[in-house]
Amino acid sequence: MYDQPRANPSQAAMTFDQMLERVRYEGAHPTRERAEEAVRAVLAALGRQLTGEERIDLAQCLPVEAALTLTAQTPATEQLTGWGFVKDLAERTSTTPAVARWDTGAVLSVVTRLAGPDLLARILRQLPGGYALLFGQAELRRPESAAA
């Protein structure tokens, strides 16, 4: 699956160290180690939510260490909403929902730049409501099906 590169109009690739520094800056984390904890926790949580081609394509956009964290997770049998994602992350990392939301925003803002707009749109279509805001995007209402 990884042997055929896919076209991706996102920004130039970055190293894991560059990713950590960007997350450290975006999240105002005091140390590189704290930024790395956030990256690993958020990408592991995202790896439990993403499946299929979007998961593979996103992994190809990330630095190797980040891609391994994302793909090492077994996808959950039930997808969480955006708020459920934050609450689950807070519980797994023994932090508050506010800290988990802050970390999520810092990490996913960098992921957004690496993924590019086309892949991000595909990812958001796969996930339940509430994720667009976590990726720093406007949350648009999904069209509701007309009553028959």
Side-chain angles (χ1 to χ4, degrees), residues 85-107:
F85 179 91
V86 170
K87 289 192 310 187
D88 182 64
L89 182 62
E91 191 174 296
R92 288 175 185 269
T93 58
S94 301
T95 61
T96 66
V99 170
R101 172 62 181 94
W102 185 266
D103 286 349
T104 298
V107 173

Side-chain angles (χ1 to χ4, degrees), residues 10-115:
S10 68
Q11 293 184 0
M14 65 173 60
T15 66
F16 190 60
D17 286 337
Q18 290 169 327
M19 182 181 195
L20 294 179
E21 279 307 310
R22 192 75 226 158
V23 169
R24 181 178 177 198
Y25 176 80
E26 295 283 336
H29 295 300
T31 64
R32 181 184 180 280
E33 290 75 21
R34 178 64 188 96
E36 185 171 354
E37 288 172 14
V39 166
R40 293 192 185 279
V42 171
L43 289 178
L46 186 60
R48 289 188 289 276
Q49 299 301 307
L50 278 180
T51 59
E53 293 296 314
E54 289 76 17
R55 178 182 169 111
I56 294 166
D57 292 349
L58 180 58
Q60 289 179 332
C61 295
L62 299 174
V64 172
E65 299 88 339
L68 291 173
T69 299
L70 178 84
T71 58
Q73 305 305 309
T74 302
T77 55
E78 186 176 324
Q79 286 188 316
L80 300 171
T81 63
W83 177 237
F85 179 91
V86 170
K87 289 192 310 187
D88 182 64
L89 182 62
E91 191 174 296
R92 288 175 185 269
T93 58
S94 301
T95 61
T96 66
V99 170
R101 172 62 181 94
W102 185 266
D103 286 349
T104 298
V107 173
L108 295 184
S109 69
V110 175
V111 170
T112 294
R113 286 189 214 108
L114 290 170

